[in-house]
Amino acid sequence: MNKRLNIYLLCVMLLCVTVTFAQDSLVVKVKTQRLTENELVSGENYVVDTIIDGQTYYKPQTIKPVVDSLSIENMQDHAYTAAVDKQWLEELYSNTLYDTIYESVTELTFDEVEYPELNTDTLKKRLLELDAKTPFNVAYNPSLESVIKSYLKNRRKTLQKLMMLSEYYFPMFERELDNYDLPLEIKYLAIVESALKPRAKSRVGATGLWQFMFSTGKLYGLDVSSYVDERSDPLKSTEAAAKYLSKLYEIFGDWDLALAAYNSGPGNVTKAIRRSGGYENYWNIRPYLPRETAGYLPAFLATMYIFENAEELGFSKAKPEFAYMETDTLHVKQMITLDQVSEVTGVDIEELQFLNPSYKLDIIPFIKDENYTLRLPVHAIGPFVANEELIYAFAKAEFDKREKPLPQFFESESKTRYTVRSGDYLGKIARKYGVRVSQIKQWNGLRSNNLKIGQRLTIYPRNPNVAPKKPSEPQVASTSTSSKTSEEKHYVVKKGDSLWSIAQKHSGISVQNIKEWNGISGSNLKPGMTLKLYKG
């Protein structure tokens, strides 16, 4: 009986093998096609799959997966970008330099200054040399000597910072000035006007590197809207300043008077000429000019003298943090925020804000018949252009999640307290309240972009649509409460993973989230690394 059973089971097994083999053969024929060498499709790669009954079956060669085009491996930081000093970047957004220069112009006293390192004879000699190579009247007088020595004695640190900053701005200034056939030395005027701070705003509302009033800016093609203030655009405002100065020189025929008119308006200059009895020399009409303008030209000449003789005066020539030639622009094809650009390119948000100062809310709008540009470090231009469809799709998806994707610009001094939640990062909070990342950091004394769940932030919102919650509404009050609503997961980095690709795999998580949760400052990941991910 057992022998018969064994024979029966053996027969069943052989039948199963036969059927399976037949099925496998059928699958092979279907999937690989029965092709001879002469029948193989030209241009396609095939490999031998199996040989059955002497017949060779082929299948298409396996194609290796293409690395994500937005892989961080393809978008590593340029060497100089990685070395950017963030503290220095933050300082660019403070008013310190601008206020210092403004006070130095408005409060000039022309009193004698003791500064033995520069004697009068040396100063006279250098001024003569400067006068010979510039169209400005750089003649020695005690007042100018007082200003120069005062700057060297009291403002050396400020001047050194401005010299470093000028390495970025001066090349673009010189190009525009040359286009309009203006003296290149006019570039020093931007230091007197704004201390090279593109968002500088005077007490009367003049804005930007060249301090345009609203009406004058409009007259020379500088658009001002809720999103964009082109008075803060370095290139556009420089071109406008060149046009305005050309017209003033055409009117007055004298560069000293043209500069005075640029500061206080042509009307104040003509009134000063009348009150002086008809003199047309700046130094003769100076007592009749507004107080700020009276110190304006001496401040300009003193700045020009110091910059032109920087080495002899003991200033160091340090490598600039930014080089204008290492940046480039591209036209945006869809609304996008600087924070979104930062996420996909890996360029620090502070760096993007420095390179794109004309966008008030860090949002680059897309408006018909308007050409708004994004300036990026050269190393980020190629990857952005090569992947722009994917980048714009990412930006649109983020905006679609928002109830109001276009926040209104609104000045508000009301203070609110915000509690950090799971998934929050500075750029997201800044966009919500219509403010800048650097402002949130300044208001809260933050030295880095890292946030903790439950951390409370003080914010002065510009966006009226996100007013503070009423006391009756529930608020997230502590880290422990937030933690209960957040699920912590762990992800092991695989070969070929990037911050971008990992963020795309987990809905509601951004590149910045992953960096902050795991204390990652750069963009490099190593296979086997364990990352903490939170899901609210």
Side-chain angles (χ1 to χ4, degrees):
M1 181 70 181
N2 290 337
K3 186 176 181 181
R4 289 181 181 178
L5 179 61
N6 290 339
I7 293 172
Y8 175 77
L9 291 174
L10 180 61
C11 291
V12 171
M13 290 175 63
L14 288 172
L15 179 62
C16 291
V17 170
T18 303
V19 172
T20 303
F21 183 81
Q23 288 177 338
D24 287 346
S25 299
L26 179 61
V27 170
V28 169
K29 289 178 182 178
V30 172
K31 287 186 177 179
T32 64
Q33 304 175 24
R34 188 168 185 168
L35 299 175
T36 66
E37 290 184 4
N38 294 330
E39 294 174 322
L40 295 180
V41 180
S42 177
E44 293 193 26
N45 295 323
Y46 289 83
V47 294
V48 175
D49 182 30
T50 187
I51 299 175
I52 302 175
D53 296 332
Q55 176 64 51
T56 303
Y57 290 84
Y58 294 88
K59 67 178 180 180
Q61 186 174 7
T62 303
I63 301 174
K64 294 181 180 180
V66 178
V67 178
D68 183 1
S69 59
L70 281 180
S71 171
I72 300 299
E73 292 180 0
N74 297 331
M75 301 177 66
Q76 291 180 355
D77 283 344
H78 189 276
Y80 98 93
T81 307
V84 170
D85 184 350
K86 289 186 178 181
Q87 289 184 350
W88 181 83
L89 277 170
E90 290 172 9
E91 186 173 346
L92 295 177
Y93 293 97
S94 71
N95 280 320
T96 306
L97 289 177
Y98 173 66
D99 289 343
T100 299
I101 294 295
Y102 183 85
E103 289 174 7
S104 75
V105 175
T106 57
E107 299 176 7
L108 285 178
T109 60
F110 306 106
D111 295 334
E112 186 175 344
V113 177
E114 194 68 34
Y115 189 74
E117 291 87 343
L118 178 62
N119 63 62
T120 302
D121 290 338
T122 301
L123 176 60
K124 287 180 178 180
K125 178 177 177 292
R126 289 175 180 164
L127 288 174
L128 279 173
E129 293 171 352
L130 191 56
D131 185 60
K133 65 178 184 180
T134 176
F136 298 95
N137 299 314
V138 194
Y140 170 83
N141 64 67
S143 296
L144 180 56
E145 179 178 17
S146 169
V147 178
I148 291 173
K149 289 185 173 181
S150 175
Y151 276 18
L152 290 172
K153 183 176 182 179
N154 303 315
R155 307 188 186 280
R156 176 172 287 273
K157 188 176 179 181
T158 296
L159 288 165
Q160 183 66 72
K161 291 178 182 178
L162 288 167
M163 286 178 187
M164 182 179 292
L165 197 52
S166 71
E167 294 291 331
Y168 174 75
Y169 287 111
F170 279 3
M172 72 174 78
F173 293 171
E174 289 170 347
R175 187 183 73 177
E176 293 303 319
L177 294 171
D178 182 62
N179 285 343
Y180 287 87
D181 200 26
L182 299 180
L184 299 186
E185 292 84 0
I186 288 178
K187 63 190 177 185
Y188 299 119
L189 194 65
I191 291 177
V192 180
E193 286 285 354
S194 65
L196 299 182
K197 184 177 185 293
R199 285 175 170 259
K201 193 164 188 176
S202 75
R203 288 148 181 78
V204 294
T207 301
L209 289 164
W210 299 93
Q211 290 290 280
F212 276 98
M213 295 294 289
F214 181 87
S215 56
T216 311
K218 283 284 189 181
L219 182 64
Y220 284 90
L222 298 178
D223 181 44
V224 180
S225 68
S226 295
Y227 287 93
V228 183
D229 189 341
E230 292 183 342
R231 294 175 298 175
S232 293
D233 185 292
L235 276 177
K236 291 181 180 179
S237 65
T238 301
E239 183 181 7
K243 291 178 182 178
Y244 188 26
L245 284 162
S246 294
K247 178 58 67 176
L248 292 174
Y249 181 72
E250 181 183 325
I251 293 171
F252 288 98
D254 179 272
W255 276 115
D256 293 352
L257 297 182
L259 294 189
Y262 185 89
N263 178 255
S264 64
N268 280 324
V269 174
T270 55
K271 282 186 281 188
I273 292 173
R274 291 189 182 98
R275 288 168 180 159
S276 71
Y279 285 107
E280 296 179 12
N281 179 284
Y282 172 85
W283 297 98
N284 291 330
I285 70 170
R286 191 184 67 178
Y288 306 97
L289 289 168
R291 179 177 177 82
E292 180 182 337
T293 311
Y296 187 70
L297 190 65
F300 168 74
L301 295 176
T303 301
M304 178 166 61
Y305 169 83
I306 293 171
F307 271 69
E308 292 287 329
N309 296 278
E311 189 175 342
E312 293 85 348
L313 294 169
F315 289 95
S316 61
K317 189 174 179 62
K319 185 183 185 298
E321 299 286 354
F322 290 99
Y324 176 61
M325 299 305 294
E326 292 181 354
T327 67
D328 201 356
T329 58
L330 51 87
H331 290 284
V332 296
K333 298 179 180 179
Q334 178 190 304
M335 183 178 69
I336 193 167
T337 71
L338 297 186
D339 183 65
Q340 290 167 341
V341 174
S342 177
E343 284 194 41
V344 298
T345 63
V347 179
D348 287 344
I349 183 66
E350 292 91 350
E351 186 173 344
L352 292 173
Q353 289 169 335
F354 173 80
L355 295 175
N356 302 274
S358 62
Y359 300 112
K360 293 179 177 180
L361 304 178
D362 291 346
I363 297 174
I364 306 177
F366 181 77
I367 301 172
K368 186 180 179 181
D369 299 326
E370 293 285 352
N371 289 320
Y372 292 123
T373 59
L374 169 67
R375 183 170 290 277
L376 291 171
V378 170
H379 68 83
I381 289 285
F384 189 100
V385 173
N387 300 281
E388 61 181 2
E389 289 186 8
L390 188 58
I391 291 172
Y392 288 133
F394 161 69
K396 185 177 185 301
E398 265 210 350
F399 282 123
D400 288 345
K401 293 176 184 176
R402 297 164 57 103
E403 184 179 352
K404 290 184 177 293
L406 294 174
Q408 298 177 354
F409 179 76
F410 180 78
E411 288 288 356
S412 173
E413 293 301 323
S414 60
K415 181 173 75 172
T416 187
R417 296 282 285 172
Y418 180 81
T419 303
V420 177
R421 296 168 173 81
S422 173
D424 279 344
Y425 53 95
L426 285 177
K428 179 180 178 181
I429 299 170
R431 287 206 306 276
K432 179 177 182 179
Y433 287 97
V435 297
R436 300 175 70 82
V437 169
S438 55
Q439 288 177 314
I440 297 178
K441 292 170 77 173
Q442 183 180 2
W443 293 331
N444 295 276
L446 303 178
R447 293 190 176 184
S448 71
N449 293 329
N450 297 329
L451 296 176
K452 295 179 181 178
I453 296 175
Q455 183 177 351
R456 292 178 65 80
L457 300 174
T458 298
I459 297 174
Y460 296 86
R462 276 180 160 175
N463 187 352
N465 298 318
V466 289
K469 291 184 178 181
K470 296 178 182 179
S472 58
E473 296 184 30
Q475 303 239 357
V476 179
S478 67
T479 306
S480 58
T481 305
S482 298
S483 299
K484 289 177 183 177
T485 61
S486 301
E487 178 187 348
E488 180 179 331
K489 298 194 300 183
H490 293 87
Y491 180 85
V492 179
V493 177
K494 303 176 181 64
K495 187 175 181 180
D497 274 345
S498 67
L499 290 174
W500 168 267
S501 64
I502 295 170
Q504 293 303 296
K505 292 176 185 175
H506 299 84
S507 177
I509 292 178
S510 70
V511 170
Q512 189 63 30
N513 289 153
I514 300 173
K515 283 178 152 186
E516 291 172 358
W517 293 334
N518 295 277
I520 300 172
S521 57
S523 303
N524 295 326
L525 296 177
K526 294 182 180 179
M529 231 174 125
T530 300
L531 300 177
K532 288 185 292 185
L533 303 178
Y534 293 92
K535 186 70 178 174

